[in-house]
Amino acid sequence: MPVDRAHMIFDCQCGNALLIFLVLLVIAYALNARARFVIRCTLLYLTIMLNALVCMAICIPASFFGHACTVVFASMKILSRWTGINVETRYFDKVFSKQQSPCVVICNHQSALDTIVMAHAYPPRGTVMMKRSLAYVPIFNITAWLCSVIFVDRFNREKAMKAVEQCTQVMNKKNLKLWVFPEGTRNRSLDGMLPFKKGAFNVAVQGQIPIVPVVASSYKCFYSHNEHYFDNDGEIIIEIMDPIPTTGLTLDDVPALADEVREKMLVVYERITKEVNEKITLKRGGKKHE
């Protein structure tokens, strides 16, 4: 009996401590912008991990039909609704209904919020190229393997070029669309785009397959890692551009091709970012962010 009573007291104390912690968390979220940023970012990463965990089981049967990645991002689209981010996707059906053959889809890279962009703009029969370090993230790596993600060693040119050749063969054989962030790392400033690395363009040219640019507007109107804010009324516009052919190009043409595509994407980026800023300013009555 004394042991049972001790367990009851311990359980009660734990319950009270948890309740106090939750109350303090709610107060901090309501009153402190930095705390709100940390809490929402933590929830975002937990959402990504939860999505990977849920999809581990779902992707096993889906992988046999080549739809594992589609399942992952469809699930993420649902789980990320708590963020309050409104996403407008333009020209998805127009572009991908015509682009039935393999292609390389490239998108600007800003933060972990890119997973939400992918959830709204991920192409049918898609796969992803990611840096090799992500292959060692628990849970995430299993789901990535089920989705046939291609991991590339960015710091070993020989291995990277072999991966390009392997990637091209797999894409043509399975009729896949490869999603790549050509900047290689996140642009934390959320202004413009970093210089493009050549990997995605090497794949496109070597396979003689088109490039489909996907441009997401800047998140800066509702999110900033450097300034520590993450508001709950975000707006993102995603615009899918017309395919850019690579037929007849060689690897010698890749640097010029990468620069040309980046310039075209920057024009779209500036235009849709301006639209988003005007939209969110109107929504907030002129306020910058919460």
Side-chain angles (χ1 to χ4, degrees):
M1 192 70 177
V3 174
D4 291 340
R5 182 174 176 79
H7 285 163
M8 288 177 63
I9 293 173
F10 177 76
D11 290 343
C12 185
Q13 289 175 337
C14 287
N16 289 337
L18 180 60
L19 180 61
I20 291 170
F21 174 74
L22 290 174
V23 169
L24 290 174
L25 207 61
V26 170
I27 292 172
Y29 184 91
L31 300 180
N32 187 279
R34 179 69 178 267
R36 186 159 54 247
F37 169 79
V38 172
I39 292 168
R40 286 176 64 82
C41 284
T42 301
L43 286 174
L44 177 63
Y45 283 108
L46 288 174
T47 300
I48 293 170
M49 296 307 293
L50 174 63
N51 188 55
L53 188 61
V54 169
C55 289
M56 274 176 60
I58 303 174
C59 284
I60 293 173
S63 61
F64 290 104
F65 300 97
H67 301 309
C69 268
T70 303
V71 170
V72 169
F73 292 113
S75 174
M76 186 63 191
K77 194 173 183 178
I78 295 169
L79 293 176
S80 62
R81 285 177 181 170
W82 66 266
T83 61
I85 298 171
N86 180 55
V87 181
E88 177 189 348
T89 307
R90 297 175 177 174
Y91 313 126
F92 182 92
D93 292 331
K94 173 192 170 186
V95 173
F96 289 120
S97 62
K98 294 179 181 178
Q99 186 59 46
Q100 299 291 335
S101 58
C103 64
V104 176
V105 180
I106 61 172
C107 183
N108 52 314
H109 196 11
Q110 301 182 70
S111 78
L113 289 167
D114 294 338
T115 53
I116 296 177
V117 170
M118 294 178 77
H120 287 80
Y122 200 73
R125 299 194 63 79
T127 189
V128 186
M129 181 183 285
M130 295 182 178
K131 55 187 178 183
R132 182 161 294 280
S133 59
L134 293 175
Y136 304 103
V137 178
I139 302 175
F140 177 87
N141 53 5
I142 297 174
T143 304
W145 176 74
L146 290 169
C147 293
S148 302
V149 167
I150 299 169
F151 292 103
V152 177
D153 190 338
R154 292 184 298 166
F155 304 104
N156 187 315
R157 179 175 174 78
E158 185 179 344
K159 289 182 179 179
M161 290 309 293
K162 284 183 179 178
V164 166
E165 185 177 347
Q166 176 193 356
C167 181
T168 304
Q169 292 172 354
V170 171
M171 288 175 67
N172 283 317
K173 182 180 179 180
K174 297 185 177 181
N175 190 23
L176 298 176
K177 296 175 178 64
L178 178 68
W179 183 291
V180 186
F181 293 108
E183 292 163 279
T185 191
R186 299 171 188 173
N187 181 6
R188 293 196 183 277
S189 72
L190 304 181
D191 290 319
M193 298 179 194
L194 299 175
F196 284 179
K197 297 185 182 299
K198 307 302 185 291
F201 302 92
N202 286 332
V203 171
V205 169
Q206 186 157 321
Q208 295 290 282
I209 54 182
I211 296 166
V212 177
V214 173
V215 185
S217 58
S218 173
Y219 307 154
K220 203 168 185 178
C221 58
F222 68 93
Y223 169 89
S224 171
H225 178 272
N226 295 335
E227 297 179 36
H228 307 296
Y229 63 84
F230 181 2
D231 300 331
N232 61 2
D233 61 347
E235 294 281 345
I236 299 174
I237 294 176
I238 306 168
E239 187 161 318
I240 299 166
M241 299 170 62
D242 290 332
I244 298 171
T246 62
T247 306
L249 298 181
T250 68
L251 292 178
D252 292 335
D253 298 312
V254 163
L257 176 64
D259 290 341
E260 177 191 346
V261 174
R262 181 175 177 273
E263 288 303 315
K264 288 181 178 180
M265 290 177 69
L266 278 169
V267 171
V268 174
Y269 172 85
E270 295 293 340
R271 172 170 52 78
I272 62 177
T273 294
K274 183 180 179 182
E275 284 185 56
V276 159
N277 288 338
E278 291 172 353
K279 189 175 182 180
I280 207 162
T281 300
L282 185 63
K283 182 196 292 188
R284 294 173 179 168
K287 292 181 181 178
K288 186 177 180 182
H289 64 82
E290 290 184 342

